[in-house]
Amino acid sequence: MIYPIVKYGDPVLEHEAETVTEFDTPELHKLVEDMFESMYAAKGVGLAAPQIGIGKKIAVIDVSNGENAADKLVLINPNILHAEGKQVGEEGCLSIPGFREQVRRGRLVTARAQNAKGEAFEVTGEDLLARALLHETEHLHGRLYITHISALKRDLIKRKIKKKQRAGEWE
Ligand code: NI
């Protein structure tokens, strides 16, 4: 099932998500599958559960955009263990469509998470994967990438979004 993507302005995006405590249930496996499907449909490389209106610490990432099954990553209750180096590059978010900004991030990132069976694992990624690990983990803490840009740029984006909301172009 493809879920609609929740857009900026919905409080679910800016709240700490709940820790997942039940694993390996048919519901959880189905949700993870639906999250991949929803992410591919929206042409994203990462999706966090709050972005489909579910306030739980679950995220999916696929930096290959569905090209390579080995790149599919399920992160439940993730934490960033280590980030080093830096990269500056364009970043966007499915919940803030139509906007992209330069964001400085760590270049090499290690996260610890659980899979859908509840097994803990660590994943280390560089470049785009490092950026995705940081971006999606932050989503689960209610933090959006626009908190990393200047207040001036952020306010400009918020003003443009308000205008779209008034015009009924932001639902
Ligand atoms: Ni995002």
Side-chain angles (χ1 to χ4, degrees), residues 9-170:
D10 190 315
V12 72
L13 293 174
E14 292 175 275
H15 282 145
E16 177 90 16
E18 278 175 31
T19 300
V20 174
T21 54
E22 270 190 75
F23 294 90
D24 212 13
T25 62
E27 294 77 19
L28 182 59
H29 288 294
K30 174 78 165 82
L31 178 58
V32 165
E33 202 179 292
D34 288 346
M35 285 178 66
F36 275 112
E37 209 182 320
S38 304
M39 178 183 78
Y40 294 135
K43 305 207 182 317
V45 296
L47 183 74
Q51 293 184 275
I52 54 167
I54 296 171
K56 290 184 180 171
K57 287 194 168 133
I58 307 169
V60 296
I61 291 175
D62 182 355
V63 293
S64 81
N65 245 313
E67 295 292 311
N68 182 4
D71 284 336
K72 286 176 80 173
L73 203 52
V74 177
L75 301 166
I76 301 182
N77 304 328
N79 280 307
I80 301 301
L81 295 182
H82 185 74
E84 68 176 66
K86 69 164 182 176
Q87 57 172 324
V88 179
E90 239 186 29
E91 195 164 318
C93 179
L94 293 175
S95 293
I96 315 176
F99 298 94
R100 294 187 75 79
E101 291 292 336
Q102 296 287 320
V103 179
R104 180 182 165 157
R105 297 283 197 181
R107 205 195 65 80
L108 183 70
V109 170
T110 300
R112 171 186 270 275
Q114 285 163 282
N115 63 21
K117 290 184 173 171
E119 298 157 344
F121 66 98
E122 285 181 17
V123 54
T124 296
E126 299 181 298
D127 305 323
L128 180 58
L129 180 54
R131 187 178 289 280
L133 289 169
L134 294 168
H135 181 115
E136 300 311 327
T137 300
E138 286 183 357
H139 262 302
L140 303 178
H141 294 295
R143 185 169 185 190
L144 298 169
Y145 86 90
I146 55 171
T147 59
H148 291 283
I149 65 177
S150 72
L152 201 71
K153 283 184 180 164
R154 189 166 52 248
D155 287 347
L156 187 63
I157 289 178
K158 286 184 181 178
R159 277 210 303 278
K160 286 181 178 170
I161 290 174
K162 281 209 180 95
K163 216 168 157 184
K164 284 175 190 277
Q165 284 169 331
R166 282 197 297 272
E169 294 164 357
W170 193 266

